[in-house]
């Protein structure tokens, strides 16, 4: 990594967290009002009928040590990659039409960089040509394709209608986020503790789902201390099936377009404070405002949704069977605001033999790369096998920065053991949240390490620095 990049990031953080307040301290100006009030339109005098709007932006600046063999956008060998772009820009509206009816609409864009994330060709003023190193994401080969970073298309993330049947049962239908498997599979993107989710918590991401959502019917509610959600979904048709690897003589499964329905669900036992399930989005860190300890379990089952071929060319069908077990703790530790947030999850994923997907978030590396990771910041993310992930953060006492905000260092560890590889891998993330006003206005700095694989064996690692700014109303 370039020292100047790291120094610049540290100076930026220092300027916001300390220097920008210096004048106020010197001149004894009154404290700045950072209080947050939800953007809500009341439709009844008592507030039981309302429309609430949530608007949020997450901007990423990152410096990446690229995977070996990565090319830049001009086709030259790439050194350190730097970029700034939009990780998420979203608008959500939820309306409680009556105590028995609710409607939710959520739209936005994701992952726009200087080189990709836009509409095909970027319109008349976009990049009308081709990048010389465009790569087919399914095969890793260097096929040429139109690409652009401009004019990304807004799309729907959530669209559903919901009806109250009883105090313990609500049912709805639409493009929804009432996911199974784990807590993180329905994680809110507003209050991550790490800079982002680890992505393998959304195992169908952008194949049989639309940014972690599928069409379907769901039911949810509370039974005493049990918070539950179940769904019957019609996954998006995606994929052309798997193959047989002649060189290594083994079957490789991949998604197959099918019209089969899928089931999923997640149940958690709430030992302490209850969490709201009005909306599906689980909180990443309560910042010491609640006492929460939950144990959860979930599943996702999609029959005959992948396929592979044997040595004779015979097609073999496989079910997608995904399971998760997790635990979540959020606990204030002292009157001065010290608080602990901890999460641990174990996933058992079966997509069929040797299924594997390499994914790189806001990846601006090109070419095929010389490792099995592919170019840029791609890494083996989702596959048949098991994953263990744990994340821990400590919200530091409020008297450290006084009225200037709060600090929360965090660390995450990930263990992956995929059938595709001969070796398992262990990787980590280290970071710090600076909360100017809780999750409503915060800055996150994170370093992430990822494994590199060659010839199905772990041969090294690479890293990435990420600076995120987030504000939501």
């Amino acid at each position: 990594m370039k020292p100047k990049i790291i120094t610049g990031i540290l100076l930026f953080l220092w300027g916001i967290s300390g220097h920008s307040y210096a004048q106020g301290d010197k001149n004894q100006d009154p404290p700045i009002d950072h209080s947050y009030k939800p953007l809500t339109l009341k439709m009844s005098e008592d507030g039981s009928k309302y429309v609430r709007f949530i608007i949020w932006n997450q901007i990423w600046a990152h410096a990446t040590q690229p995977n070996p063999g990565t090319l830049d956008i001009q086709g030259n060998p790439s050194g350190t990659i730097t970029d700034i772009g939009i990780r998420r820009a979203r608008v959500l509206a939820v309306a409680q039409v009556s105590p028995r009816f609710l409607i939710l609409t959520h739209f936005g864009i994701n992952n726009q960089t200087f080189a990709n994330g836009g509409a095909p060709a970027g319109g008349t003023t976009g990049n009308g040509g081709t990048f010389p190193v465009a790569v087919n994401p399914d095969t890793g080969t260097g096929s040429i394709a139109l690409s652009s970073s401009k004019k990304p298309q807004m799309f729907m993330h959530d669209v559903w209608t919901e009806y109250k049947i009883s105090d313990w049962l609500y049912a709805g239908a639409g493009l929804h986020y009432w996911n199974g498997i784990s807590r993180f599979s329905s994680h809110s993107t507003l209050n991550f503790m790490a800079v982002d989710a680890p992505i393998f918590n959304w195992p169908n991401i952008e194949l049989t789902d639309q940014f972690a959502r599928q069409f379907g019917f769901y039911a949810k509610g509370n039974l005493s201390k049990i918070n539950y959600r179940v769904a019957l979904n019609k996954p998006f048709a995606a994929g052309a099936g798997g193959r047989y690897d002649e060189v290594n003589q083994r079957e490789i499964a991949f998604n197959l377009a099918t019209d089969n329905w899928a089931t999923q669900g997640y149940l958690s036992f709430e030992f302490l404070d209850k969490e709201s399930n009005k909306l599906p989005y689980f909180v990443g860190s309560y910042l010491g405002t609640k006492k929460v300890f939950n144990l959860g379990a979930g599943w996702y089952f999609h029959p005959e949704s992948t396929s592979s071929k044997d040595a004779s060319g015979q097609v073999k069908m496989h079910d997608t069977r995904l399971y998760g077990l997790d635990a979540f703790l959020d606990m204030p530790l002292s009157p001065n605001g010290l608080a602990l947030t901890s999460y641990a999850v174990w996933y058992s994923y079966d997509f069929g033999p040797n299924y594997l997907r390499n994914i790189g978030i806001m990846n601006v590396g090109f070419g095929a790369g010389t490792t099995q990771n592919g170019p840029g910041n791609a890494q083996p993310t989702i596959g048949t096998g098991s994953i263990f992930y744990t994340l821990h953060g400590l919200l530091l006492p409020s008297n450290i920065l006084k009225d200037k905000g709060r600090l929360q260092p965090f660390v995450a560890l990930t263990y992956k053991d995929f059938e595709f590889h001969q070796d398992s891998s262990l990787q980590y993330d280290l970071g710090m949240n600076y909360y100017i006003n809780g999750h409503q206005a915060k800055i996150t700095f994170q370093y992430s390490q990822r494994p590199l694989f060659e010839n199905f064996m772990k041969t090294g690692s690479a890293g990435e620095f990420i600076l995120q700014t987030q504000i939501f109303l």
Side-chain angles (χ1 to χ4, degrees):
M1 294 293 176
K2 296 179 180 179
K4 291 183 178 179
I5 296 172
I6 301 173
T7 302
I9 292 173
L10 293 175
L11 287 173
F12 175 73
L13 289 174
W14 173 82
I16 292 179
S17 64
H19 185 70
S20 59
Y21 290 89
Q23 282 299 110
D25 293 340
K26 181 179 179 180
N27 298 326
Q28 297 181 339
D29 291 339
I32 299 174
D33 181 9
H34 292 302
S35 60
Y36 168 73
K37 296 180 181 178
L39 187 58
T40 304
L41 175 62
K42 291 184 179 181
M43 297 191 296
S44 63
E45 290 296 330
D46 62 0
S48 62
K49 299 180 181 181
Y50 61 87
V51 180
R52 183 182 176 188
F53 301 94
I54 305 176
I55 305 168
W56 69 102
N57 293 338
Q58 294 170 337
I59 307 301
W60 276 21
H62 52 121
T64 304
Q65 179 185 3
N67 299 335
T70 296
L71 303 179
D72 64 20
I73 201 169
Q74 296 178 327
N76 301 314
S78 178
T80 300
I81 298 175
T82 59
D83 187 30
I84 181 171
I86 300 172
R87 177 66 174 108
R88 295 179 180 90
R90 310 273 191 87
V91 177
L92 184 150
V94 56
Q96 189 72 61
V97 184
S98 85
R100 298 193 63 181
F101 311 132
L102 180 146
I103 181 172
L104 186 142
T105 302
H106 172 196
F107 61 91
I109 67 169
N110 307 277
N111 302 328
Q112 183 184 15
T113 74
F114 82 99
N116 48 45
T124 58
T125 62
N127 175 50
T130 60
F131 293 162
V133 291
V135 173
N136 185 317
D138 293 329
T139 65
T141 58
S143 58
I144 299 299
L146 286 173
S147 184
S148 176
S149 59
K150 294 183 179 180
K151 300 179 180 178
Q153 181 179 358
M154 290 276 188
F155 68 92
M156 292 299 182
H157 288 70
D158 297 297
V159 179
W160 73 75
T161 52
E162 180 180 288
Y163 305 88
K164 179 180 178 180
I165 299 174
S166 70
D167 288 339
W168 57 271
L169 177 61
Y170 295 76
L175 181 65
H176 71 86
Y177 193 61
W178 294 94
N179 292 328
I181 309 178
S182 77
R183 178 187 185 90
F184 266 36
S185 300
S186 299
H187 202 308
S188 168
T189 61
L190 292 175
N191 45 53
F192 289 125
M193 185 164 61
V195 76
D196 212 316
I199 306 304
F200 48 72
N201 54 300
W202 299 309
N204 300 302
I205 192 76
E206 286 301 272
L207 273 177
T208 60
D209 66 30
Q210 181 164 293
F211 229 78
R213 282 82 172 171
Q214 293 179 342
F215 285 117
F217 305 94
Y218 69 86
K220 55 97 172 185
N222 287 292
L223 292 170
S224 185
K225 288 183 173 293
I226 296 176
N227 184 326
Y228 74 90
R229 60 187 68 195
V230 293
L232 175 66
N233 289 353
K234 188 77 168 181
F236 288 90
R243 59 188 176 88
Y244 183 77
D245 182 354
E246 297 282 355
V247 175
N248 298 286
Q249 298 184 352
R250 59 180 188 169
E251 299 176 30
I252 305 293
F254 198 68
N255 295 79
L256 178 71
T258 176
D259 63 359
N260 293 336
W261 290 73
T263 64
Q264 63 178 335
Y266 178 73
L267 296 86
S268 64
F269 190 89
E270 301 174 322
F271 290 89
L272 301 175
D273 291 350
K274 287 189 175 182
E275 296 187 275
S276 171
N277 70 346
K278 187 176 189 65
L279 299 179
Y281 315 109
F282 280 115
V283 171
S285 176
Y286 283 103
L287 306 181
T289 60
K290 292 176 73 73
K291 295 180 180 180
V292 178
F293 177 52
N294 296 350
L295 296 178
W299 82 93
Y300 176 92
F301 175 68
H302 190 187
E304 296 188 339
S305 52
T306 69
S307 71
S308 62
K309 293 181 179 180
D310 61 21
S312 67
Q314 182 71 31
V315 175
K316 301 175 71 173
M317 306 296 292
H318 309 284
D319 300 335
T320 297
R321 301 173 183 267
L322 314 175
Y323 304 97
L325 293 171
D326 61 6
F328 176 74
L329 174 70
D330 201 300
M331 185 71 62
L333 300 178
S334 68
N336 63 4
L338 185 69
L340 174 68
T341 303
S342 292
Y343 179 72
V345 60
W346 173 78
Y347 294 109
S348 177
Y349 286 169
D350 185 0
F351 297 89
N354 300 299
Y355 182 103
L356 185 73
R357 290 181 64 194
N358 290 334
I359 297 175
I361 300 302
M362 297 182 69
N363 192 351
V364 292
F366 298 91
T370 56
T371 68
Q372 289 176 299
N373 289 48
N377 63 354
Q379 63 173 301
T381 304
I382 299 166
T384 293
S386 59
I387 302 172
F388 176 76
Y389 175 81
T390 185
L391 171 65
H392 307 275
L394 189 67
L395 184 67
L396 301 183
S398 57
N399 57 11
I400 291 181
L401 296 182
K402 301 185 187 303
D403 61 345
K404 298 179 183 179
R406 304 290 298 277
L407 295 175
Q408 182 188 49
F410 60 84
V411 59
L413 294 174
T414 304
Y415 172 81
K416 299 174 184 173
D417 188 11
F418 292 137
E419 184 180 280
F420 186 87
H421 295 132
Q422 294 182 27
D423 293 343
S424 59
S425 64
L426 184 67
Q427 61 194 91
Y428 65 87
D429 307 284
L430 295 171
M432 176 78 76
N433 285 309
Y434 168 50
Y435 296 104
I436 303 172
N437 183 33
H439 292 291
Q440 280 74 37
K442 70 178 182 180
I443 298 169
T444 304
F445 180 63
Q446 178 172 305
Y447 174 77
S448 296
Q449 184 250 12
R450 65 185 183 277
L452 300 173
F453 282 86
E454 297 181 66
N455 196 27
F456 308 101
M457 300 179 68
K458 184 176 181 296
T459 57
S461 62
E464 180 175 29
F465 287 98
I466 303 171
L467 175 67
Q468 175 183 269
T469 63
Q470 171 180 303
I471 296 178
F472 86 81
L473 300 176

